[in-house]
Amino acid sequence: MAVTSIDIDPEELRQAKALAGTSSNRETVALALRTLIAVRRQPAVVERIIGRRFDADQIDPPTIPPSSPMQRSA
């Protein structure tokens, strides 16, 4: 892991730690980076899901009725 020195506004860091429930500055910054990456990637993922094509058996699979309590095995 690379060591990087940056200036972070102490009040913003305090607020971020409180909102994230993190205890260390390093944990807070790491979570913020992972969150930013996930948020920025999300539209591309949604577009892939929207563009996916399904077979008929994936769209309307057969219904399997729930078993009665007497039929369940322990």
Side-chain angles (χ1 to χ4, degrees), residues 12-42:
E12 288 179 349
L13 184 58
R14 183 196 66 73
Q15 288 181 43
K17 285 169 73 172
L19 289 168
T22 53
S23 58
S24 72
N25 294 351
R26 180 183 307 265
E27 182 183 14
T28 305
V29 171
L31 177 60
L33 292 172
R34 288 192 309 271
T35 302
L36 174 66
I37 292 165
V39 166
R40 294 297 173 106
R41 285 183 176 168
Q42 190 173 18

Side-chain angles (χ1 to χ4, degrees), residues 22-73:
T22 53
S23 58
S24 72
N25 294 351
R26 180 183 307 265
E27 182 183 14
T28 305
V29 171
L31 177 60
L33 292 172
R34 288 192 309 271
T35 302
L36 174 66
I37 292 165
V39 166
R40 294 297 173 106
R41 285 183 176 168
Q42 190 173 18
V45 172
V46 169
E47 288 300 319
R48 282 198 313 270
I49 292 169
I50 291 170
R52 184 167 177 212
R53 300 292 174 239
F54 295 93
D55 295 330
D57 62 328
Q58 292 174 306
I59 294 171
D60 193 18
T63 302
I64 301 172
S67 59
S68 69
M70 298 298 288
Q71 292 175 328
R72 290 187 189 138
S73 57

